[in-house]
Amino acid sequence: MAEGTQDALAFGPDVRIGFLGGGQLGRMTIQAALDLDMRIEVLDPDPQCPCARIAHQFTQGDLNDAEAVIAWGRSLDVVTVEIENVSTEGLTALKAMGVKVLPDPAHLALIRDKGLQKQFYAEHGIPTSDFALVEDGRAEALSRGLPVVQKLRTGGYDGRGVQVIRTEEEARYAFDAPSVLEDAVDIEKELSVIVARSTTGEVKTYPVVESVFNELNLVDYLVAPARISEAVEAEARRVALSVVEAMDFVGLLAVELFLDKEGNILVNEVAPRAHNSGHHTIEACGTSQFEQHLRAILGLPLGDTAQRSAAAMLNLIGGAGANGVPLYTGLAAALAEPGLHPHIYGKVAVREGRKMGHVTVLADSPDAAEQRVLALRDHISTVHAH
Ligand code: ADP
C-alpha cells in the first residue's frame, strides 16, 4: 500500500471509530475528534447520555451484553472504551473478526478486577500496598488487622465499593463479597500520571498531577503540575511507565499513585482510558488526553504532553439533596474571570455525588491555581432547578 493511501486511512471521515460508553469522557473525546474530522460512533444504554446528541452515530444498547456489543461493533474499524465495565467477551469476539480493539480486551479484563490488578503488580515487582484476596470481605475483614482498606474486586467506581475499616464495629458493615483487603497507606499526596502508548510503540507521559478527594472519594479538585520534588516526579513517571511496559498496554492508561509519608511511590490502581485527573490537559498541555487517546489507537504520532501553564481543575459534583434538572449557581458570574474554562457535560439530571461538569483555571503557579479553585468552590454550587 502506498504511503499516501495509508495516510488517508489513518484518520478522517472514512475511519469508523466506536466508543463503548457515552459519558463525559466520550463527549470530550468527540470534541477533540472534530478538529481532525474523526467521526465517533457511540454505544450506551442511556439515550440521553452526554454523547447521544453529538455522536456521529448513537446506538442504544447494553455495554455488558456481548451480542449487542458484537452487533454494534462488527462493521467498525476501531473500537475503544470510555468505561472499563463492558463485555470483554463481546470485544474478544470483535477482535477475532478483525476489528481493532484498543485497549486489548485482556487488559480490560485484568484492570476491571481489582484483585487481578493487585496480583499483577505483585508478580511484576511494581510497588503497591500489601494485600490479600478474600471470598467474603465481611467474614474476613479482621483477618489482616486494622485499619484495612476493603475494595470490591469488581463493580465499584468513583469510590463506591471502597471502604476503610478502622474498628471492629465498622468491620460488621464490610461488603460481603469477593474483595481485596489491603494495608491502609499513610498518604502524603494522591498523584496520577497519564501514559499514552500508541500502536507503533511510541510512549509519552504527562506531567504528574495531584488530586484532592472529597468525603465521597470523588476527585474534588486537582493541581497540575504536582507540587513534588524532581526525584518524586521522576519516580512517579518511572513507575507509571513500568506498568504500561509490564502489561504491554496500548492506548491511554491513567496510573493512580500514592506518595506515602516516607516518600515511597505506590500504585493504587489504573484506568485504561481518559481520566478525571487529565481534564486540565485540554487547556494546559500541548495535546489533550482525549486527542492523545485517539492518536494512540490510530497509530498517529503522539502529541506534545508538555504543560504550558500551571492549572487546577474543580469537579462540579451534585450537592447534597440535588435531584432534578441541573443548575450551576455562581458559575455564570465566574465566567468573567480570565483563564477560566467551564465544561458542562450535558447530563439531563443532577443527583447527589454525580459528576456534572468541571472548571479548569490557569494561573502562574500551581499554588495560585489551587487558590483560584478553592475560591470558586465556595461560590459555585451544583444543585437542581426549582
Ligand atoms: P475507585 O476505583 O472507586 O476510585 P480507589 O481504589 O481509587 O477506588 O480508592 C478510592 C480512594 O480510597 C483513593 O483515592 C484513596 O483516597 C482511598 N484509598 C484507596 N486505597 C487506599 C489504601 N490502600 N490506603 C489508604 N487509602 C486508600
Side-chain angles (χ1 to χ4, degrees):
M1 197 184 288
E3 275 277 324
T5 322
Q6 266 188 2
D7 249 16
L9 277 176
F11 70 91
D14 294 338
V15 181
R16 294 185 60 197
I17 305 167
F19 259 76
L20 284 172
Q24 64 264 24
L25 301 174
R27 183 175 169 106
M28 289 184 271
T29 311
I30 291 173
Q31 289 177 277
L34 290 175
D35 286 345
L36 292 162
D37 195 23
M38 293 178 185
R39 300 186 186 182
I40 294 183
E41 306 185 24
V42 168
L43 181 73
D44 192 278
D46 178 3
Q48 292 188 306
C49 71
C51 290
R53 280 186 298 122
I54 63 167
H56 189 64
Q57 183 101 41
F58 176 75
T59 305
Q60 185 179 4
D62 180 352
L63 304 177
N64 278 295
D65 174 349
E67 296 295 317
V69 168
I70 295 166
W72 165 80
R74 60 190 314 151
S75 60
L76 298 173
D77 296 303
V78 190
V79 167
T80 189
V81 298
E82 63 119 53
I83 184 170
E84 49 273 27
N85 198 10
V86 297
S87 168
T88 46
E89 189 195 336
L91 288 176
T92 305
L94 286 177
K95 187 179 164 188
M97 292 171 177
V99 177
K100 274 193 215 158
V101 180
L102 296 164
D104 194 273
H107 288 141
L108 295 176
L110 168 69
I111 291 167
R112 205 169 56 171
D113 181 337
K114 289 182 193 250
L116 294 179
Q117 254 194 74
K118 289 289 272 188
Q119 278 180 329
F120 182 89
Y121 304 140
E123 279 162 16
H124 290 82
I126 292 164
T128 195
S129 62
D130 283 341
F131 68 98
L133 303 186
V134 295
E135 274 308 306
D136 179 346
R138 188 173 300 163
E140 296 172 76
L142 299 174
S143 59
R144 290 178 56 79
L146 298 177
V148 71
V149 180
Q150 181 191 16
K151 299 184 178 181
L152 290 180
R153 285 188 63 163
T154 55
Y157 67 99
D158 278 350
R160 288 169 236 204
V162 175
Q163 55 182 327
V164 185
I165 299 167
R166 295 183 193 81
T167 62
E168 290 193 17
E169 171 68 11
E170 283 177 357
R172 290 173 43 205
Y173 301 99
F175 308 115
D176 56 350
S179 303
V180 181
L181 293 179
E182 59 182 65
D183 290 355
V185 176
D186 208 0
I187 300 172
E188 173 71 19
K189 276 183 195 285
E190 299 208 27
L191 304 175
S192 90
V193 178
I194 294 178
V195 185
R197 184 153 176 267
S198 136
T199 57
T200 65
E202 188 186 6
V203 187
K204 283 199 177 170
T205 56
Y206 282 89
V208 182
V209 169
E210 62 181 269
S211 303
V212 177
F213 288 76
N214 68 12
E215 63 288 352
L216 297 172
N217 263 340
L218 291 167
V219 175
D220 182 3
Y221 66 90
L222 64 79
V223 179
R227 292 157 296 181
I228 50 178
S229 68
E230 274 179 36
V232 171
E233 168 93 22
E235 174 66 0
R237 290 205 200 206
R238 185 193 70 74
V239 169
L241 275 174
S242 74
V243 178
V244 169
E245 278 157 18
M247 285 187 183
D248 195 17
F249 184 87
V250 174
L252 202 65
L253 194 75
V255 184
E256 294 182 25
L257 303 162
F258 297 132
L259 171 64
D260 75 11
K261 300 268 190 219
E262 290 171 359
N264 302 305
I265 291 286
L266 303 170
V267 174
N268 174 26
E269 60 168 359
V270 300
R273 51 169 169 78
H275 193 255
N276 200 167
S277 64
H279 288 356
H280 66 293
T281 59
I282 298 173
E283 289 88 9
C285 293
T287 310
S288 77
Q289 62 165 344
F290 304 101
E291 181 176 330
Q292 199 76 302
H293 179 178
L294 293 167
R295 289 178 182 233
I297 62 171
L298 294 175
L300 299 169
L302 295 179
D304 172 27
T305 54
Q307 208 168 318
R308 299 187 287 208
S309 165
M313 182 231 51
L314 176 68
N315 272 337
L316 302 178
I317 297 171
N323 190 5
V325 177
L327 180 69
Y328 308 90
T329 61
L331 181 60
L335 295 182
E337 294 184 21
L340 181 148
H341 304 270
H343 295 261
I344 305 297
Y345 303 149
K347 297 184 183 178
V348 292
V350 58
R351 281 193 301 277
E352 180 171 344
R354 193 172 193 201
K355 290 179 182 169
M356 300 299 294
H358 74 264
V359 177
T360 298
V361 294
L362 305 180
D364 291 338
S365 69
D367 283 341
E370 180 179 44
Q371 288 311 313
R372 289 192 66 183
V373 296
L374 290 175
L376 283 172
R377 200 171 54 157
D378 290 340
H379 290 104
I380 302 178
S381 303
T382 306
V383 296
H384 60 257
H386 286 286

